[in-house]
């Protein structure tokens, strides 16, 4: 019996450790976690897991970086949740291709929903424009539970250091597409021009060939016409000679 009790206690301890370790490995993350610098209309998802065993997540707040501001955001409706976007008025407006921007995104808050233990929720957004002068963007998040607990996902990862317990979601910005890449869509448009350029000599060659053939045909016709005239003249001459000979022969017979 003591062995059974010890085995049960050990199994319970293992299960407890697994239950604790499982949630601890889940963090608030962002996906995809990379995007080109200066990109526009970028779709991202903030993925929030519930790490509590007896409480629901009822609110998620994501703070946007204001030192490298993002101009504009459109949250996708999340069933059961209410979303609120807070903007920050800039002291120095930003000039963009779409005009001058005086406000940038400061915070997005999702509330009123119920995210149960052992589940996660994705909150999707579309960002208007990403900065082109940063290598990464850090989005600090606060997760509130129904029991009053607040988990602060605000720790910034440090190079060469272990991952913190509550790391903030990070979006890595990659090199922007080269300027020459924008000409790629116009490449198909240049095809007809190239085709026309290539076909032009062919058309010219065809015209030259047709003209040459016309000249050859005309020369042949002229040659045949002259030959016909010559043959006609010779025929007339032969006919006249035959008539004259017949007359002479007839005259000789009469005598």
């Amino acid at each position: 019996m003591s062995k059974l009790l010890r085995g049960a206690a050990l199994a319970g301890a293992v299960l407890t450790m697994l239950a604790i370790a499982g949630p601890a490995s889940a963090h608030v993350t962002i996906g995809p976690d990379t995007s080109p610098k200066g990109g526009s209309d970028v779709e991202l998802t903030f993925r929030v897991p519930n790490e509590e065993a007896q409480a629901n997540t009822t609110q998620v707040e994501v703070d946007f970086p204001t030192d490298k501001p993002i101009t504009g955001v459109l949250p996708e409706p999340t069933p059961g949740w209410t979303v609120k976007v807070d903007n920050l008025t800039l002291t120095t407006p930003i000039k963009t291709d779409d005009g001058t921007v005086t406000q940038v995104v400061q915070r997005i808050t999702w509330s009123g929903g119920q995210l149960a233990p052992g589940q996660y929720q994705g909150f999707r957004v579309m960002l208007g424009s990403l900065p082109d002068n940063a290598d990464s963007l850090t989005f600090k998040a606060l997760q509130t539970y129904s029991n009053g607990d607040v988990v602060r996902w605000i720790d910034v990862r440090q190079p060469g250091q272990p991952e913190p317990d509550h790391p903030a979601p990070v979006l890595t910005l990659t090199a922007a597409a080269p300027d020459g890449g924008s000409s790629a869509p116009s490449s198909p448009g240049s095809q007809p021009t190239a085709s026309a350029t290539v076909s032009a000599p062919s058309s010219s060659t065809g015209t030259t060939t047709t003209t040459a053939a016309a000249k050859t045909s005309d020369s042949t016709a002229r040659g045949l016409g002259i030959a016909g005239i010559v043959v006609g003249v010779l025929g007339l001459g032969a006919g006249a000679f035959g008539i004259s000979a017949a007359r002479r022969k007839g005259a000789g017979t009469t005598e």
Side-chain angles (χ1 to χ4, degrees), residues 16-31:
T16 302
M17 291 178 63
L18 290 175
I20 295 175
S25 63
H27 303 317
V28 173
T29 57
I30 190 171

Side-chain angles (χ1 to χ4, degrees), residues 29-36 39 41-47 62 64-65 70 72-76 78 108 110 122-130 137 139 169-173:
T29 57
I30 190 171
D33 57 1
T34 61
S35 186
D41 297 338
V42 178
E43 293 186 356
L44 299 176
T45 301
F46 293 98
R47 298 173 296 208
V62 176
F64 280 53
I70 296 174
V73 63
L74 290 176
E76 182 179 78
T78 305
I108 298 181
W110 289 271
F123 299 95
R124 290 171 56 87
V125 298
M126 183 170 70
L127 308 182
S129 178
L130 295 176
L137 298 175
F139 298 84
V170 175
L171 176 66
T172 300
L173 300 182

Side-chain angles (χ1 to χ4, degrees), residues 50 52-57 115-117 145-149:
N50 187 324
E52 293 277 353
Q54 303 294 331
N56 295 334
T57 296
L115 177 58
Y145 287 91
S146 56
N147 61 2
D149 290 347

Side-chain angles (χ1 to χ4, degrees), residues 19-173:
I20 295 175
S25 63
H27 303 317
V28 173
T29 57
I30 190 171
D33 57 1
T34 61
S35 186
K37 296 180 180 180
S40 59
D41 297 338
V42 178
E43 293 186 356
L44 299 176
T45 301
F46 293 98
R47 298 173 296 208
V48 181
N50 187 324
E51 296 187 332
E52 293 277 353
Q54 303 294 331
N56 295 334
T57 296
T58 57
Q59 179 174 295
V60 175
E61 175 186 310
V62 176
D63 292 336
F64 280 53
T66 55
D67 56 337
K68 303 294 182 182
I70 296 174
T71 58
V73 63
L74 290 176
E76 182 179 78
T78 305
W81 295 80
T82 300
V83 61
K84 178 185 176 185
V85 178
D86 293 321
N87 293 321
L88 174 68
T89 301
L90 298 173
T91 55
T92 303
I94 300 175
K95 292 184 178 180
T96 68
D97 294 337
D98 297 327
T100 302
V101 177
T102 59
Q103 289 188 329
V104 295
V105 184
Q106 182 180 27
R107 181 182 303 105
I108 298 181
T109 304
W110 289 271
S111 60
Q114 297 289 326
L115 177 58
Q119 299 180 356
Y120 92 97
Q121 177 68 58
F123 299 95
R124 290 171 56 87
V125 298
M126 183 170 70
L127 308 182
S129 178
L130 295 176
D132 56 6
N133 58 349
D135 295 326
S136 64
L137 298 175
T138 300
F139 298 84
K140 298 182 178 182
L142 301 180
Q143 182 177 6
T144 303
Y145 287 91
S146 56
N147 61 2
D149 290 347
V150 177
V151 180
R152 304 171 64 85
W153 303 95
I154 62 174
D155 297 336
V156 179
R157 296 179 177 89
Q158 300 297 331
Q161 299 294 324
E163 184 181 66
D165 293 336
H166 300 93
V170 175
L171 176 66
T172 300
L173 300 182

Side-chain angles (χ1 to χ4, degrees), residues 215-231:
K215 289 182 179 180
T216 303
S217 176
D218 185 54
S219 299
T220 303
R222 290 179 181 178
L224 292 175
I226 295 173
I229 293 172
V230 173
V231 171

